[in-house]
Amino acid sequence: MMVNDILQVRGLRLGYGRAMVLNGVSFEVPAKGLIAIVGPNGAGKSSTLGAIAGGNTVSSGTIIFEGKDITGAAPEVIAAAGLSFVPEGRHVFSSLTVEENLRVGTFRRKDRNAVEIDLERVFDYFPRLKERLRQPGGKMSGGEQQMLVIGRALMCRPRLVLIDEPSLGLAPRIVDEVYDILQRLRTEEGLSLLVNEQSSRRVMKYADEIIVLREGAVQLRGEPSALGAETLHDAYFGAGTFDHDSAGGTV
Ligand SMILES: Nc1ncnc2c1ncn2[C@@H]1O[C@H](COP(=O)(O)OP(=O)(O)O)[C@@H](O)[C@H]1O
Ligand SMILES: [Mg+2]
């Protein structure tokens, strides 16, 4: 536990009904870090982010954000504290324009000038959104919709953003474009990021640390360069499943 961790998750357990889907998950996100949780479908990745963002009821464990215990707090309280959540599936309002989608969370704000500054800042990072300002959200490509939901999260001025499966269904080139922008947000704005990805393949290039989650437990964690293909594969699929002939490059 380091003082410069923006998020600390300790012994997180939760279930939907009787069966537990998280069995004591612990990790931390350093300030300005990009941490990636990877793991197969059903591992508990979305449940973990949902618990941190306040949408899932936690059975036990603690979630500390900037030194404050936020375990069990309401989603809007957590968001107001500076932690934004971008759920899986790119939930844009398809009949609202790009601009309306970005403004949707700001209507109650009284600092109208600051809203305009925040909007310009989002356009600095996502020039594609500015080009498509008046287009309906539903007419955007998958990559643009991903940028839109991240941009919308940034309108709340978060210090930590959780993003569930940003790469899903996007072409590799677009995935790189999204991650390049996230890297800029880290270095230029000091943003911290926790992302879920089903595949570790592309996120290895960007993450400070990879956390392999399977069956509701952390199987392996470490710097991407320190994780060998076989170790990673076994953590992801279970020990002894690595196929040397195919070099195990499937994770
Ligand atoms: N709302 C829910 N109700 C019941 N079971 C759920 C619900 N959400 C997820 N689960 C179950 O919890 C487990 C973990 O799911 P999830 O956190 O979505 O994993 P991942 O995001 O890694 O695919 C799975 O077995 C899934 O079926
Ligand atoms: Mg998921």
Side-chain angles (χ1 to χ4, degrees), residues 183-201:
Q183 292 291 45
R184 271 189 63 207
L185 284 159
R186 287 174 66 187
T187 52
E188 295 171 17
E189 312 266 330
L191 190 71
S192 308
L193 291 151
L194 174 62
V195 298
N196 279 350
E197 291 285 9
Q198 197 161 322
S199 159
S200 67
R201 208 174 294 147

Side-chain angles (χ1 to χ4, degrees), residues 16-249:
Y16 308 91
R18 218 172 290 171
M20 282 289 144
V21 302
L22 297 182
N23 303 301
V25 169
S26 301
F27 62 90
E28 45 293 310
V29 178
K32 302 175 190 181
L34 194 166
I35 303 298
I37 301 177
V38 306
N41 194 23
K45 304 183 297 297
S46 297
S47 298
T48 302
L49 293 197
I52 297 166
N56 291 344
T57 307
V58 169
S59 299
S60 62
T62 48
I63 301 161
I64 311 284
F65 173 59
E66 293 183 330
K68 291 187 219 61
D69 191 342
I70 58 163
T71 320
E76 58 274 17
V77 172
I78 293 171
L83 195 164
S84 282
F85 177 36
V86 180
E88 188 180 350
R90 305 177 192 127
H91 299 279
V92 305
F93 299 99
S94 35
S95 58
L96 298 187
T97 66
V98 167
E99 181 176 3
E100 288 163 344
N101 266 280
L102 290 172
R103 286 185 186 275
V104 105
T106 68
F107 291 131
R108 284 203 207 144
R109 278 173 62 175
K110 299 200 170 62
D111 52 341
R112 301 315 301 173
N113 291 339
V115 170
E116 301 313 306
I117 291 167
D118 290 349
L119 203 55
E120 282 309 315
R121 188 175 66 114
V122 169
F123 293 147
D124 279 348
Y125 285 98
F126 299 101
R128 277 159 171 264
L129 297 182
K130 190 164 192 175
E131 290 162 22
R132 287 160 179 74
L133 207 57
R134 310 268 168 247
Q135 234 186 62
K139 289 264 159 38
M140 310 270 283
S141 70
E144 289 162 351
Q145 290 190 354
Q146 188 62 56
M147 292 175 192
L148 181 52
V149 291
I150 295 171
R152 192 167 62 202
L154 294 176
M155 292 298 290
C156 303
R157 301 186 173 192
R159 293 176 297 285
L160 171 65
V161 180
L162 317 179
I163 314 178
D164 200 351
E165 307 234 22
S167 302
L168 200 70
L170 300 185
R173 182 176 57 80
I174 307 297
V175 173
D176 285 335
E177 200 179 322
V178 170
Y179 273 103
D180 284 341
I181 294 167
L182 294 178
Q183 292 291 45
R184 271 189 63 207
L185 284 159
R186 287 174 66 187
T187 52
E188 295 171 17
E189 312 266 330
L191 190 71
S192 308
L193 291 151
L194 174 62
V195 298
N196 279 350
E197 291 285 9
Q198 197 161 322
S199 159
S200 67
R201 208 174 294 147
R202 298 203 81 74
V203 79
M204 295 279 272
K205 201 161 75 183
Y206 302 100
D208 299 321
E209 190 184 30
I210 301 281
I211 295 166
V212 181
L213 196 69
R214 179 168 50 83
E215 294 171 1
V218 175
Q219 308 289 340
L220 176 74
R221 50 187 288 191
E223 286 176 36
S225 60
L227 301 177
E230 181 169 353
T231 315
L232 190 61
H233 178 101
D234 282 352
Y236 193 101
F237 292 106
T241 60
F242 186 75
D243 176 3
H244 284 271
D245 294 334
S246 65

